Amino acid sequence: MTCCIGIGAFVFVLVVFSNKPTVLNTLNSGNLAALPLNDSDELFLTLDEGVSSLQTTESLTDENSPTATDPFFKVKVKRGDSLSSIFQRVRIPQEDLLAIQRVCPEEWGDQYLDVGQTLKFQKNVDGTLVFFEFVKDRLTSYVFTRIDDSFTAEVKEKKVISKKTFHRVEIAKGQSVISAGMASGIKQELTLWQLPKLLQWDIDFHHDIHPGDSYEILYFENYIEGEYIGDGDIVAITFNSGKTTHQIVRYRPSEDALIKYYTRDGTSTEGQFLRAPLEYTRVSSNFNPRRLHPIHKRIMPHNGIDYAAPTGTPVYATGTGVVTEAGKKRLNGNYVVLKHGATYQTKYLHLHKIDPKIKVGAKVVQGQRLGSVGMTGAATGPHLHYEFLVNGVHKNPKTVDLPRNEKLKGEELIPFQRHADEVFGLMASFASSQKRLQASETAP
């Protein structure tokens, strides 16, 4: 018997096992980002290497299972093992293996053995196999139980409980965004590496982070039977950099839309341009229309930013566009110029090398490698000179208002604002509770 339970745009498929061979129905959701976040504080999922399938099953009953006094043993799969060789090694007739294979669920039809996987066996007092379990991973097992001269097959799924988790992190001297987050109790470093990725259009994480900056993060922690197994997706972030506060929240505008991150006013975080084109060591020279040139020793406009970095450091296109210039000049050294529609232009100078695909007329996408850092042309050390132009006028790349790709409007904005209010209200509640707890712990 199969029962379908609808939740939002998704369906949980409940399979009730009988004594007949059964196949577990599955509806793939892609990943955690495909789930609505405001339905519940806890989501029950099954995950496999970052991919989730919306599944539930009844727990395996003990009705046809062997008794606890029956011989029970486990076998770890070794290199070169097959089911046939393992069954032979543990003295189980090949007829039993054939009977098991006849009732194998479709999901296990092409299953091959991985080194380290576990097989569980139980025999009765006369040595007859009465129970066999193939443990695919920590979530999924295939269970075969003898009834007379044949076997029934069942798929056993453990539930993963995803709980919303909150942390407030203050960055101290000598700490990075990552190290401060780990020190605050966030368990998985990979979660913290999402911050510079999600906020890269607004914050230059190589230069704009200072002691005293702070952030609050709401995300999922995943558990199996009470055991922590890793983090899920980030729900929302509030990042305080200097006097500026950035807030982003994960949201899906409609059932057929992709889940993305949006700022508090409903603007997509995915901007048309990255704030910086590389991972750099320091800014060796800022945007300055009246800079004293280090070589010519006279006032000459510095219409870009110089990012100091080791020779060979990759340089990426900050926005999607077309190559209008790519070559070498006496002052520029190896350089590339990109045109981004009718309004914007970016320039990349003093490159060590230009990648072979970067030729005049070539189309490039945001984040595509253009070349690497060098010190060709009029350069006193390895660095990238980067310029950003709007309608032919140079702008400071660090402060220019970068265009966004999408903004929710009209009727789309009302449910988003309701969702954002709920999420950030929850974060405020968590923060208040955390402060009260800390105050009680420090009170005499």
Side-chain angles (χ1 to χ4, degrees):
M1 179 178 69
T2 302
C3 176
C4 296
I5 307 170
I7 298 182
F10 301 94
V11 176
F12 285 81
V13 181
L14 179 63
V15 177
V16 181
F17 294 113
S18 67
N19 288 337
K20 297 179 180 180
T22 58
V23 177
L24 185 66
N25 295 311
T26 301
L27 177 65
N28 289 329
S29 69
N31 53 42
L32 274 172
L35 290 169
L37 294 173
N38 50 344
D39 289 340
S40 171
D41 284 350
E42 294 188 353
L43 300 174
F44 298 86
L45 309 172
T46 58
L47 309 180
D48 185 7
E49 298 299 324
V51 177
S52 66
S53 52
L54 305 184
Q55 305 172 337
T56 61
T57 76
E58 283 192 343
S59 299
L60 177 66
T61 66
D62 294 325
E63 182 179 351
N64 297 311
S65 298
T67 66
T69 58
D70 295 329
F72 174 85
F73 56 94
K74 299 179 182 179
V75 175
K76 287 278 189 182
V77 175
K78 300 178 182 179
R79 189 176 300 278
D81 272 345
S82 65
L83 281 176
S84 178
S85 65
I86 292 173
F87 270 59
Q88 186 176 4
R89 191 160 70 237
V90 298
R91 294 178 181 151
I92 296 174
Q94 294 294 303
E95 290 80 2
D96 283 351
L97 175 57
L98 292 174
I100 287 171
Q101 290 175 332
R102 279 195 291 269
V103 297
C104 281
E106 290 180 4
E107 295 93 336
W108 199 39
D110 297 324
Q111 180 65 48
Y112 57 90
L113 301 182
D114 285 330
V115 174
Q117 283 180 306
T118 302
L119 308 182
K120 297 180 181 180
F121 299 87
Q122 280 185 297
K123 298 180 181 180
N124 64 15
V125 292
D126 65 4
T128 300
L129 178 69
V130 291
F131 177 87
F132 169 58
E133 181 178 5
F134 176 86
V135 183
K136 179 184 177 183
D137 51 44
R138 56 186 170 187
L139 293 176
T140 307
S141 297
Y142 300 99
V143 179
F144 303 89
T145 306
R146 179 185 290 276
I147 296 182
D148 298 326
D149 293 328
S150 61
F151 288 86
T152 61
E154 297 173 330
V155 182
K156 186 177 179 181
E157 291 280 352
K158 292 182 180 178
K159 291 178 179 178
V160 173
I161 298 178
S162 297
K163 296 183 178 181
K164 285 178 180 174
T165 305
F166 173 85
H167 279 272
R168 185 184 185 279
V169 180
E170 185 162 335
I171 302 170
K173 186 176 181 179
Q175 287 185 321
S176 67
V177 170
I178 311 301
S179 62
M182 297 295 286
S184 77
I186 296 174
K187 298 181 179 70
Q188 197 166 41
E189 189 173 315
L190 184 62
T191 299
L192 293 163
W193 279 109
Q194 294 298 307
L195 271 69
K197 181 179 179 181
L198 294 173
L199 291 163
Q200 63 183 318
W201 293 274
D202 294 307
I203 302 174
D204 184 343
F205 277 82
H206 304 290
H207 187 262
D208 293 343
I209 306 302
H210 305 285
D213 289 350
S214 63
Y215 60 90
E216 297 174 354
I217 179 172
L218 183 67
Y219 64 101
F220 285 108
E221 284 186 343
N222 298 324
Y223 293 83
I224 299 178
E225 297 178 344
E227 179 186 356
Y228 169 79
I229 62 166
D231 293 342
D233 288 303
I234 292 174
V235 180
I237 301 169
T238 295
F239 203 107
N240 303 297
S241 177
K243 297 181 180 179
T244 305
T245 297
H246 303 274
Q247 288 187 311
I248 65 170
V249 60
R250 195 170 61 132
Y251 182 70
R252 183 181 60 194
S254 62
E255 292 182 359
D256 57 350
L258 295 175
I259 279 196
K260 296 182 180 180
Y261 289 86
Y262 295 85
T263 62
R264 195 66 177 82
D265 66 353
T267 302
S268 170
T269 59
E270 297 179 2
Q272 292 183 27
F273 294 92
L274 304 176
R275 184 59 72 179
L278 77 168
E279 295 183 7
Y280 59 94
T281 306
R282 61 187 175 87
V283 172
S284 55
S285 185
N286 278 300
F287 182 86
N288 184 0
R290 294 193 55 80
R291 182 193 66 156
L292 178 65
H293 197 280
I295 295 177
H296 301 291
K297 304 302 181 184
R298 57 189 174 90
I299 299 296
M300 297 179 64
H302 191 247
N303 291 323
I305 290 181
D306 288 349
Y307 296 104
T311 298
T313 301
V315 174
Y316 304 102
T318 54
T320 298
V322 177
V323 179
T324 56
E325 296 182 48
K328 187 173 184 178
K329 290 184 178 180
R330 185 175 64 85
L331 296 180
N332 294 348
N334 296 321
Y335 76 106
V336 174
V337 178
L338 302 181
K339 187 175 179 61
H340 312 272
T343 304
Y344 301 99
Q345 189 180 44
T346 56
K347 299 182 179 183
Y348 311 79
L349 279 58
H350 309 306
L351 299 172
H352 177 62
K353 289 182 179 179
I354 299 173
D355 280 16
K357 293 182 179 180
I358 307 304
K359 301 180 184 298
V360 173
K363 294 181 179 179
V364 298
V365 298
Q366 186 182 73
Q368 182 175 337
R369 179 179 162 129
L370 302 177
S372 57
V373 170
M375 54 180 295
T376 56
T380 57
H383 73 280
L384 173 75
H385 176 85
Y386 173 65
E387 297 181 10
F388 191 94
L389 293 83
V390 181
N391 292 320
V393 179
H394 285 91
K395 300 292 183 179
N396 187 341
K398 286 182 61 178
T399 60
V400 64
D401 187 18
L402 298 175
R404 300 287 186 178
N405 284 333
E406 174 188 356
K407 185 171 183 178
L408 301 175
K409 298 177 181 178
E411 294 182 356
E412 289 183 324
L413 199 55
I414 296 173
F416 167 78
Q417 289 174 336
R418 187 165 53 245
H419 173 70
D421 287 344
E422 180 182 338
V423 169
F424 288 110
L426 178 63
M427 292 180 71
S429 176
F430 276 133
S432 178
S433 299
Q434 190 178 81
K435 287 178 181 177
R436 288 197 300 270
L437 180 61
Q438 290 171 345
S440 66
E441 290 176 345
T442 57

